Amino acid sequence: MPLEAPARIVSELTSRGYNAEREAVTKLASAENPRAALQRVVDELPEDALVVRTDHVDAALSRADATADSPGGSTGPDADSAPGSRTDPSVSTGDAVPDPTAADGDTPVETKGGGAADRSVDPELRSLEIVGDMTGQSTGTGEYEDFVAVFRDRLERLGSKLRGRVNHRPASAIQDMPGGSDVAMVGLVNDIRSTASGHWLIELEDATGTFPWLVMKDREYVDLVDELLCDEVLAMEGTLADDSGIAFVDSMYFPDIPRTHEPSTADRHVQAALISDVHVGSDEFMEGAWNRFADWLHTEQAQHVEYLLLAGDMVEGVGVYPDQDEELEIVDIYEQYESFSEHLKKIPGDIEIVMIPGNHDAVRLAEPQPGFDEELREIMSAHDPQIVSNPSTVTLEGVSVLMYHGVSLDEVIAELPEEKASYDDPHKAMYQLLKKRHVAPQFGGHTRLAPEEQDYLVMEEVPDIFHTGHVHKLGFGKYHNVLAINSGCWQAQTDFQKSVNIDPDAGYAPIVDLDTLDVTVQKFS
Ligand code: D5M
Ligand code: FE
Ligand code: ZN
């Protein structure tokens, strides 16, 4: 007998407003009469249920058996619709294995056989913790003092990673030291200028003032100068000029990730899908690719995917860029989130979802961006996602993932030479952020900063995984053992992107093994 495609069951349940656990879908798919079984399950669901669970299906199917087996059972409301359950009781226990490839034919990857029981997930084994969520913690008023405070905090915290490595002095003390002394300083990059003779003048600032440092053009580390961004924190070591008015740089130090960093891994084989930039509401939103992704998550091949991380730009938003309205399929921002929520419901109900906002989302643009407000949370509540600020760190079974949408990547790519950061290798731009231990070092450019009393954009702890999106390009790699993943998008090329030659990687889902930090990429476009 042909089995009902899990995909069709999922979409039937979604259209009735329900999510479903994967095993529940598997069981329904393998029922003798899936359509009738689904109807029975829905009829019997408790009023407040949002997710169809395995036990709901078990209960409904076993009642169908009992009715069919008992004399006079044929008078029961659904007895006719479960005729096979009498001859083959095993169907109601879910032992039969549905063939996911019998789905609509558009499942991207062939799946292996195996017992349906393998697909069951045990939420007891999971752990998920959030650190650094500043939602509801915003204290900044945007006053000058707030900016002073946030930069002081940045210098304090990133400086503490450097102070043990150099014998540093405050800017105000350096100018009083005798010419020719060995000196070191920890500070924020205040200015970067080239001199008439081709050397580089870098002004460092600390709480006491500023001091100029000269990088000679023939020194081997002159290469590092093109990586520097204003407002990043670093240390310089060198020799004071005779008049003590400037120092010649001998070495530069970045807060950086220690080379010895050993990432944590999960104790069992479990996977997370890392995606971003869904852009629901855009004419270019790739609904077909999204549906294939959601269908795939219901297959056995995706049985170990228990977490889904979404790094911003859930919807296309309204008024984000000039002329954006010409490419909107849904013009109302709330309707965009309603539609996004419908698409989220297609994701198996047992997958834990964590999301942060991006620059297209309906929260303040300045970073850190708080998680969505109550009204939007309510709209997206069906799948019960964890909604946290941009950036935030989520720890999945011991593996910490720093999630950041990625607006600063545009700036890193614009400022640095091609080989160090480009749209084709977005992970290399991420390496720079890791090296600077800050997700958005430069103030005053593309990336807007909301001053808070603490700099939430500092990478205080070393993450095991760094997950960004925004540039709509897929790329991943390791920097000092930290896995950096930029996750592509679900939006085909827009007119703007065409005009500037951005060729997006749309419809890919990078999947990370949390026990090994290996990455595989599933393609749905
Ligand atoms: O950003 C997607 C990518 O495209 C990101 O690299 C910024 C860039 N982008 C897209 N539209 C524009 C406009 N109008 N100006 C400047 N840069 C743009 P996303 O956040 O998804 O729009
Ligand atoms: Fe985007
Ligand atoms: Zn974006």
Side-chain angles (χ1 to χ4, degrees):
M1 189 204 82
L3 290 159
E4 187 79 358
R8 271 196 293 276
I9 290 179
V10 173
S11 89
E12 182 62 31
L13 286 171
T14 333
S15 72
R16 297 172 186 223
Y18 298 108
N19 283 125
E21 289 180 354
R22 274 174 287 192
E23 202 184 351
V25 173
T26 308
K27 288 190 171 185
L28 279 173
S30 57
E32 195 69 17
N33 184 339
R35 221 170 283 272
L38 184 146
Q39 187 58 49
R40 177 178 277 272
V41 168
V42 169
D43 288 347
E44 294 181 3
L45 271 181
E47 289 243 329
D48 56 350
L50 292 171
V51 177
V52 175
R53 293 197 317 267
T54 318
D55 52 300
H56 296 139
V57 178
D58 284 344
L61 290 177
S62 65
R63 266 194 290 279
D65 277 354
T67 326
D69 284 343
S70 62
S74 59
T75 57
D78 282 348
D80 290 347
S81 41
S85 52
R86 198 184 332 224
T87 49
D88 183 8
S90 70
V91 269
S92 63
T93 63
D95 287 337
V97 184
D99 176 4
T101 56
D104 291 337
D106 50 13
T107 314
V109 192
E110 296 273 311
T111 55
K112 297 190 289 288
D118 290 349
R119 298 170 50 84
S120 61
V121 290
D122 180 359
E124 292 283 300
L125 297 173
R126 295 180 183 167
S127 73
L128 191 160
E129 281 162 43
I130 307 280
V131 184
D133 177 19
M134 52 70 67
T135 310
Q137 309 290 314
S138 181
T139 55
T141 56
E143 300 290 319
Y144 176 75
E145 293 72 42
D146 292 334
F147 282 98
V148 174
V150 77
F151 282 108
R152 189 169 294 149
D153 183 62
R154 176 185 303 194
L155 179 58
E156 196 42 50
R157 291 201 286 143
L158 289 178
S160 72
K161 300 188 187 301
L162 293 159
R163 289 191 190 103
R165 287 153 65 186
V166 291
N167 187 15
H168 65 99
R169 292 282 173 273
S172 60
I174 292 176
Q175 63 209 28
D176 296 332
M177 290 168 70
S181 307
D182 289 339
V183 285
M185 179 180 166
V186 173
L188 285 151
V189 175
N190 201 34
D191 193 21
I192 309 164
R193 278 195 304 271
S194 61
T195 68
S197 41
H199 305 300
W200 292 94
L201 194 66
I202 295 151
E203 194 174 70
L204 284 192
E205 178 175 358
D206 68 13
T208 69
T210 61
F211 197 81
W213 292 78
L214 195 75
V215 177
M216 310 293 282
K217 64 181 173 196
D218 49 358
R219 298 298 296 257
E220 68 280 9
Y221 51 77
V222 70
D223 245 19
L224 292 175
V225 174
D226 60 27
E227 288 181 9
L228 298 184
L229 293 178
C230 279
D231 307 314
E232 72 173 290
V233 174
L234 46 74
M236 294 205 175
E237 209 169 40
T239 317
L240 209 49
D242 289 345
D243 66 358
S244 303
I246 197 168
F248 302 102
V249 177
D250 290 325
S251 341
M252 279 189 241
Y253 300 86
F254 297 85
D256 221 326
I257 309 292
R259 284 181 185 278
T260 50
H261 173 66
E262 285 185 29
S264 301
T265 51
D267 292 337
R268 62 183 183 120
H269 182 52
V270 58
Q271 297 177 310
L274 272 52
I275 63 165
S276 66
D277 298 274
V278 191
H279 289 266
V280 171
S282 159
D283 279 340
E284 267 70 42
F285 166 54
M286 297 170 69
E287 188 171 11
W290 179 269
N291 290 342
R292 284 187 286 277
F293 170 51
D295 286 349
W296 174 76
L297 287 172
H298 285 273
T299 68
E300 199 180 351
Q301 205 203 9
Q303 64 180 306
H304 298 296
V305 180
E306 297 192 30
Y307 302 96
L308 173 68
L309 306 188
L310 272 151
D313 286 359
M314 311 303 147
V315 300
E316 174 62 10
V318 177
V320 181
Y321 292 125
D323 299 328
Q324 185 202 21
D325 49 332
E326 289 166 22
E327 292 186 73
L328 284 183
E329 185 184 309
I330 305 173
V331 295
D332 180 274
I333 185 77
Y334 291 102
E335 285 173 24
Q336 290 183 2
Y337 281 101
E338 273 154 22
S339 174
F340 171 71
S341 180
E342 290 306 308
H343 287 94
L344 214 51
K345 282 189 205 161
K346 298 175 191 166
I347 304 294
D350 59 70
I351 290 186
E352 302 278 350
I353 299 180
V354 182
M355 59 168 88
I356 61 169
N359 57 312
H360 283 250
D361 286 299
V363 298
R364 78 173 183 203
L365 198 51
E367 299 174 6
Q369 297 179 283
F372 301 114
D373 66 19
E374 283 311 319
E375 196 171 355
L376 294 176
R377 280 169 196 260
E378 185 56 37
I379 291 176
M380 289 181 271
S381 63
H383 203 299
D384 199 23
Q386 299 239 18
I387 296 173
V388 294
S389 61
N390 168 39
S392 286
T393 297
V394 49
T395 302
L396 307 173
E397 303 192 21
V399 181
S400 62
V401 187
L402 170 59
M403 298 175 69
Y404 169 62
H405 178 59
V407 169
S408 68
L409 295 174
D410 281 330
E411 236 158 331
V412 174
I413 291 169
E415 306 259 341
L416 269 56
E418 173 91 22
E419 69 277 9
K420 290 186 179 171
S422 66
Y423 285 106
D424 284 336
D425 289 318
H427 51 289
K428 291 191 184 163
M430 299 173 75
Y431 296 170
Q432 292 291 331
L433 300 178
L434 286 166
K435 185 171 179 177
K436 300 174 195 309
R437 292 290 286 266
H438 199 279
V439 298
Q442 189 156 283
F443 173 67
H446 234 60
T447 320
R448 315 242 166 105
L449 178 75
E452 300 289 349
E453 66 197 328
Q454 172 189 343
D455 189 348
Y456 289 96
L457 310 180
V458 164
M459 294 183 203
E460 183 74 54
E461 304 293 331
V462 178
D464 300 315
I465 302 177
F466 183 25
H467 174 204
T468 60
H470 181 63
V471 295
H472 293 207
K473 297 295 278 185
L474 173 68
F476 56 91
K478 287 201 177 152
Y479 177 76
H480 298 186
N481 295 327
V482 176
L483 173 62
I485 300 194
N486 195 82
S487 50
C489 63
W490 300 84
Q491 183 187 37
Q493 194 180 43
T494 63
D495 285 348
F496 169 83
Q497 290 165 349
K498 206 174 286 174
S499 73
V500 294
N501 255 335
I502 295 179
D503 182 18
D505 292 324
Y508 295 86
I511 310 290
V512 183
D513 288 357
L514 295 175
D515 49 339
T516 59
L517 303 193
D518 289 341
V519 180
T520 47
V521 176
Q522 298 290 334
K523 185 173 190 296
F524 302 99
S525 51

